[in-house]
Short mmCIF file of all heavy atoms in Angstrom, two decimals:
data_model
loop_
_atom_site.label_atom_id
_atom_site.label_comp_id
_atom_site.label_asym_id
_atom_site.label_seq_id
_atom_site.Cartn_x
_atom_site.Cartn_y
_atom_site.Cartn_z
N GLY A 36 115.17 132.44 130.31
CA GLY A 36 115.19 130.97 130.46
C GLY A 36 113.83 130.34 130.22
O GLY A 36 113.70 129.34 129.52
N VAL A 37 112.80 130.93 130.86
CA VAL A 37 111.48 130.45 130.67
C VAL A 37 111.01 130.55 129.27
O VAL A 37 110.39 129.63 128.68
CB VAL A 37 110.48 131.17 131.62
CG1 VAL A 37 109.04 130.80 131.30
CG2 VAL A 37 110.80 130.90 133.09
N PHE A 38 111.37 131.71 128.61
CA PHE A 38 110.94 131.92 127.25
C PHE A 38 111.55 130.89 126.30
O PHE A 38 110.89 130.32 125.47
CB PHE A 38 111.39 133.36 126.76
CG PHE A 38 111.23 133.54 125.32
CD1 PHE A 38 109.98 133.82 124.76
CD2 PHE A 38 112.35 133.47 124.45
CE1 PHE A 38 109.85 134.02 123.37
CE2 PHE A 38 112.19 133.68 123.09
CZ PHE A 38 110.96 133.94 122.59
N PHE A 39 112.92 130.68 126.47
CA PHE A 39 113.61 129.71 125.60
C PHE A 39 113.13 128.29 125.86
O PHE A 39 113.04 127.49 124.93
CB PHE A 39 115.12 129.83 125.80
CG PHE A 39 115.71 131.04 125.16
CD1 PHE A 39 116.43 131.94 125.87
CD2 PHE A 39 115.54 131.28 123.79
CE1 PHE A 39 117.00 133.09 125.29
CE2 PHE A 39 116.12 132.39 123.19
CZ PHE A 39 116.81 133.31 123.93
N TYR A 40 112.75 128.01 127.12
CA TYR A 40 112.27 126.65 127.47
C TYR A 40 110.94 126.44 126.78
O TYR A 40 110.73 125.38 126.11
CB TYR A 40 112.16 126.48 128.98
CG TYR A 40 111.45 125.18 129.37
CD1 TYR A 40 112.16 123.99 129.38
CD2 TYR A 40 110.15 125.17 129.77
CE1 TYR A 40 111.55 122.81 129.74
CE2 TYR A 40 109.52 123.99 130.15
CZ TYR A 40 110.24 122.80 130.09
OH TYR A 40 109.60 121.63 130.47
N ILE A 41 110.05 127.40 126.90
CA ILE A 41 108.71 127.29 126.29
C ILE A 41 108.87 127.21 124.75
O ILE A 41 108.18 126.42 124.09
CB ILE A 41 107.80 128.48 126.69
CG1 ILE A 41 107.53 128.41 128.21
CG2 ILE A 41 106.54 128.48 125.87
CD1 ILE A 41 106.76 129.61 128.66
N GLU A 42 109.78 128.06 124.21
CA GLU A 42 109.98 128.04 122.75
C GLU A 42 110.53 126.72 122.27
O GLU A 42 110.12 126.19 121.22
CB GLU A 42 110.94 129.18 122.36
CG GLU A 42 111.12 129.36 120.87
CD GLU A 42 109.83 129.88 120.15
OE1 GLU A 42 108.93 130.30 120.86
OE2 GLU A 42 109.85 129.86 118.91
N SER A 43 111.46 126.14 123.03
CA SER A 43 112.06 124.87 122.64
C SER A 43 111.00 123.75 122.67
O SER A 43 110.98 122.87 121.80
CB SER A 43 113.23 124.51 123.55
OG SER A 43 112.82 124.30 124.86
N ARG A 44 110.14 123.79 123.73
CA ARG A 44 109.09 122.78 123.81
C ARG A 44 108.07 122.95 122.67
O ARG A 44 107.57 121.95 122.11
CB ARG A 44 108.33 122.90 125.15
CG ARG A 44 109.21 122.50 126.34
CD ARG A 44 109.63 121.03 126.25
NE ARG A 44 108.52 120.12 126.15
CZ ARG A 44 107.89 119.58 127.22
NH1 ARG A 44 108.34 119.88 128.42
NH2 ARG A 44 106.89 118.75 127.05
N ARG A 45 107.75 124.21 122.32
CA ARG A 45 106.88 124.45 121.19
C ARG A 45 107.45 123.90 119.94
O ARG A 45 106.75 123.22 119.13
CB ARG A 45 106.59 125.94 121.04
CG ARG A 45 105.55 126.27 120.00
CD ARG A 45 105.40 127.78 119.79
NE ARG A 45 106.61 128.31 119.19
CZ ARG A 45 106.84 128.28 117.87
NH1 ARG A 45 105.98 127.70 117.07
NH2 ARG A 45 107.96 128.77 117.37
N LYS A 46 108.75 124.14 119.68
CA LYS A 46 109.41 123.67 118.46
C LYS A 46 109.44 122.15 118.44
O LYS A 46 109.31 121.48 117.43
CB LYS A 46 110.82 124.23 118.34
CG LYS A 46 110.84 125.70 118.00
CD LYS A 46 112.28 126.25 117.90
CE LYS A 46 112.29 127.71 117.53
NZ LYS A 46 113.70 128.23 117.42
N GLU A 47 109.70 121.57 119.68
CA GLU A 47 109.76 120.11 119.77
C GLU A 47 108.40 119.50 119.42
O GLU A 47 108.33 118.50 118.68
CB GLU A 47 110.13 119.71 121.19
CG GLU A 47 110.31 118.21 121.40
CD GLU A 47 110.68 117.86 122.80
OE1 GLU A 47 111.08 118.80 123.58
OE2 GLU A 47 110.62 116.68 123.15
N ARG A 48 107.33 120.09 119.95
CA ARG A 48 105.95 119.61 119.63
C ARG A 48 105.69 119.76 118.14
O ARG A 48 105.11 118.85 117.53
CB ARG A 48 104.90 120.37 120.42
CG ARG A 48 104.83 119.96 121.92
CD ARG A 48 103.53 120.48 122.52
NE ARG A 48 103.43 121.91 122.45
CZ ARG A 48 103.85 122.78 123.36
NH1 ARG A 48 104.43 122.29 124.45
NH2 ARG A 48 103.67 124.06 123.20
N ARG A 49 106.12 120.86 117.55
CA ARG A 49 105.88 121.09 116.15
C ARG A 49 106.65 120.09 115.30
O ARG A 49 106.14 119.56 114.29
CB ARG A 49 106.32 122.51 115.78
CG ARG A 49 106.15 122.85 114.27
CD ARG A 49 104.71 122.69 113.84
NE ARG A 49 104.51 123.03 112.43
CZ ARG A 49 103.49 122.64 111.73
NH1 ARG A 49 102.52 121.89 112.28
NH2 ARG A 49 103.37 122.98 110.47
#
Side-chain angles (χ1 to χ4, degrees):
V37 171
F38 171 78
F39 285 123
Y40 174 77
I41 294 174
E42 185 68 12
S43 65
R44 291 300 301 270
R45 187 187 67 80
K46 290 181 178 180
E47 183 180 348
R48 285 196 300 269
R49 180 57 179 161

